[in-house]
Amino acid sequence: MKIVVTLRCKQEKRKMDQDVYVLGIESSCDDTSAAVMKNGELLSNVVASQKVHEEYGGVVPELASRAHQQNIVPTVDTALKRAGIDASQLNAVAFTRGPGLMGSLLVGVSFAKGFARSLGIPMIECNHLQGHILAHFIKTPGEQLETPEFPFLCLLVSGGNSQIVRVDSYNKMEILGQTIDDAAGEAMDKCSKVMGFGYPGGPIIDRYARQGNPDAYKFSKPNIPGYNYSFSGLKTSFLYNLRDWVKDDPDFVEHHKEDLCASLEKTIVDILMKKLRQAVKDTGISQVAVAGGVSANTGLREAFQDHARRYRWKVFIPRFSYTTDNAAMIACTGYFKYLDKDFCSIDVPIYSNTRL
Ligand code: KG4
């Protein structure tokens, strides 16, 4: 045992002196993804999306877990090939430990642990939410990227999360406020389902909203203290209003889908931005980033640009490829943790609850 440990340390020391290659693995929900970073620059990012959930109008955990099992090996293999490296060149394997769906996380985490152990290299556990935020630091080779300065605020909005996070460093973050019920993306997805559209609903609502009047309809907005969010009241108000309108006109959605989507999107963006403005005012931090799947939304992106002009915020909006779940953000998080030698043991368990 002692010999093995000494040998590993030597291998580690040798690798520490050279280039640092980190493999990132993400499997928290319905995307299997693997990415490779060299010295903090992205060499490859492969995402295998699961179409199987579309017909159910939402992610089915058991099906997601099975699809991850099918996808994980070819996805990692492709990521290594696209990066032009061999597994033996890797210095560490970083993986999403949580939060997420347990059955989905288990596949990526088990693979990552086994892979790292077989290569005799450290494993690095990453928080999915931290990954979304650090997506703002993903650079491709030679790219001059303008990144947020610490401290900054980040609005993290996805299918499972709606949070305002204070980011003090790569590894120090604090949730200032978060949703007490549904997430913003979840509200979009559920309202989309009520209108009879597909899944995920966010991009569909975004598309129709571009041709509609955002002031055509009014939906209820929450009134809760602090920086917390709530979207369940809006969802119910949308559902009840729609029921009444459809009684008078069975084709109401078809006739008014653009205005419905524009008004819904505006209500969600208004709710998100109001609390964010308050957080900026109270903290005095005016560098503001947005992250997560909903950060792809056109109305939200425009609201950020508008706030930059009106309130002199310095805003950071991620590239579309890094808004939804991806392993590039996990490789990036893993790289920063690698520099801190923040490694984990093989028995580290997964978690499903929201935390940073
Ligand atoms: O971050 P993500 O890929 O997965 C997690 O939830 O972790 O986010 C998915 C969410 C879905 O709710 C989807 O409807 C929403 O992001 N989304 C959008 C847009 N693109 C994706 N919401 C609004 N507008 C979009 N363009």
Side-chain angles (χ1 to χ4, degrees):
M1 186 63 182
K2 201 175 165 198
I3 297 166
V4 175
V5 171
T6 317
L7 218 147
R8 285 218 183 107
C9 288
K10 271 188 186 158
Q11 271 179 0
E12 196 45 45
K13 182 169 180 331
R14 186 174 51 78
K15 285 181 174 176
M16 284 277 186
D17 296 337
Q18 301 166 354
D19 291 327
V20 175
Y21 290 93
V22 176
L23 170 70
I25 292 179
E26 154 66 34
S27 73
S28 64
C29 191
D30 60 338
D31 290 311
T32 319
S33 185
V36 176
M37 275 211 162
K38 176 186 177 185
N39 302 331
E41 294 185 332
L42 187 69
L43 298 184
S44 66
N45 181 38
V46 180
V47 183
S49 297
Q50 304 176 1
K51 300 275 171 240
V52 64
H53 309 286
E54 280 171 11
E55 63 181 286
Y56 299 97
V59 177
V60 183
E62 177 60 29
L63 295 181
S65 175
R66 289 187 211 177
H68 280 305
Q69 284 186 319
Q70 286 179 325
N71 294 341
I72 189 79
V73 172
T75 302
V76 170
D77 192 45
T78 309
L80 290 171
K81 282 198 179 111
R82 286 198 191 154
I85 66 157
D86 187 79
S88 62
Q89 288 174 266
L90 288 171
N91 295 75
V93 180
F95 58 87
T96 303
R97 180 180 164 201
L101 300 171
M102 296 305 256
S104 292
L105 287 166
L106 268 178
V107 178
V109 172
S110 307
F111 179 89
K113 287 177 176 177
F115 200 47
R117 177 52 69 90
S118 72
L119 294 167
I121 56 176
M123 42 195 100
I124 301 171
E125 55 99 1
C126 298
N127 180 293
H128 180 76
L129 309 180
Q130 184 185 9
H132 270 303
I133 294 168
L134 294 185
H136 284 281
F137 296 87
I138 300 171
K139 281 193 293 190
T140 49
E143 183 183 4
Q144 294 299 318
L145 183 72
E146 196 184 12
T147 55
E149 281 167 28
F150 301 115
F152 67 92
L153 297 181
C154 186
L155 176 70
L156 178 50
V157 268
S158 68
N161 299 283
S162 296
Q163 287 145 349
I164 298 176
V165 180
R166 181 192 159 108
V167 187
D168 286 302
S169 71
Y170 298 117
N171 290 327
K172 187 165 176 263
M173 306 182 181
E174 182 193 352
I175 297 174
L176 300 183
Q178 61 185 320
T179 182
I180 57 167
D181 41 56
D182 290 347
E186 200 176 353
M188 292 248 187
D189 293 338
K190 286 179 178 166
C191 291
S192 164
K193 197 171 177 183
V194 166
M195 288 188 280
F197 302 155
Y199 173 85
I204 303 169
I205 289 173
D206 191 344
R207 224 173 29 248
Y208 286 135
R210 305 283 63 78
Q211 294 133 42
N213 172 9
D215 298 311
Y217 305 105
K218 295 269 172 274
F219 302 110
S220 102
K221 288 184 187 168
N223 189 10
I224 51 169
Y227 306 124
N228 283 345
Y229 289 117
S230 166
F231 290 98
S232 67
L234 162 65
K235 189 186 64 188
T236 312
S237 128
F238 187 83
L239 176 69
Y240 287 175
N241 275 310
L242 201 62
R243 262 193 207 159
D244 291 343
W245 295 326
V246 168
K247 270 187 208 148
D248 297 334
D249 172 8
D251 295 324
F252 187 86
V253 172
E254 185 49 37
H255 293 152
H256 301 281
K257 56 182 181 297
E258 292 86 0
D259 287 349
L260 278 171
C261 290
S263 304
L264 174 66
E265 182 188 277
K266 180 173 189 280
T267 311
I268 291 176
V269 171
D270 284 353
I271 294 170
L272 291 171
M273 297 310 289
K274 187 177 173 195
K275 293 286 170 116
L276 194 55
R277 274 196 304 277
Q278 192 60 48
V280 169
K281 201 169 158 210
D282 295 348
T283 60
I285 299 171
S286 57
Q287 296 226 17
V288 193
V290 60
V294 183
S295 68
N297 182 260
T298 312
L300 185 58
R301 287 173 167 242
E302 285 172 359
F304 262 71
Q305 302 291 11
D306 176 59
H307 278 61
R309 280 189 297 269
R310 265 208 280 173
Y311 302 105
R312 296 177 183 275
W313 291 5
K314 190 157 175 57
V315 297
F316 296 87
I317 299 171
R319 265 163 289 170
F320 281 108
S321 48
Y322 305 141
T323 56
T324 47
D325 292 346
N326 65 86
M329 65 189 199
I330 300 304
C332 186
T333 307
Y335 174 70
F336 291 125
K337 287 190 143 197
Y338 182 89
L339 297 182
D340 287 347
K341 297 201 181 64
D342 188 356
F343 307 140
C344 68
S345 59
I346 196 159
D347 55 356
V348 68
I350 59 174
Y351 54 84
S352 60
N353 58 326
T354 302
R355 65 187 203 208
L356 259 172

